[in-house]
Amino acid sequence: QVQLVESGGGLVQAGGSLRLSCAASGRTFRSYARGWFRQPPGKEREFVASITWSGGNTYYADSVKGRFTISRDNAKNTVYLQMNSLKPEDTAVYYCAAQPKIHQDFGSWGQGTQVTVSS
């Protein structure tokens, strides 16, 4: 079974930047897409961004468009989330997940990485 491991979270001031990484370990597999989700304190988990593995098509939540960029490194089987112009409302635990095939639910959730943006 594949495991996804996130890294790169931390504490940053508003307006700053962070880059998250999502590496796959265990049985090598290529999912249809990989995505980033986040769960702010006291709220439900929400979609942030996703990227299809073969075509590199990207999708973003309206709240992060123009500030966040998702990318992938095929050779490393790793997905990144570059986060710029961070706001306090971006504070959340960020999770990586894989979508095995088109129209299927995301799964194989990572353990999450904390991102805290101070004002």
Side-chain angles (χ1 to χ4, degrees), residues 18-81:
L18 283 174
R19 189 176 84 152
L20 306 183
S21 299
C22 171
S25 63
R27 181 172 62 88
T28 302
F29 86 121
R30 288 292 172 84
S31 56
Y32 170 75
R34 195 95 53 95
W36 287 98
F37 295 74
R38 67 186 182 187
Q39 187 167 17
K43 297 184 179 180
E44 294 187 352
R45 188 162 55 193
E46 61 186 19
F47 170 79
V48 175
S50 66
I51 185 167
T52 59
W53 204 257
S54 60
N57 297 315
T58 58
Y59 305 89
Y60 296 94
D62 288 342
S63 58
V64 305
K65 280 181 181 178
R67 300 188 298 122
F68 290 11
T69 302
I70 189 170
S71 62
R72 74 199 192 291
D73 184 326
N74 289 11
K76 296 181 178 180
N77 204 353
T78 297
V79 171
Y80 305 96
L81 185 69

Side-chain angles (χ1 to χ4, degrees), residues 6-24:
E6 304 97 335
S7 61
L11 173 63
V12 64
Q13 289 188 334
S17 299
L18 283 174
R19 189 176 84 152
L20 306 183
S21 299
C22 171

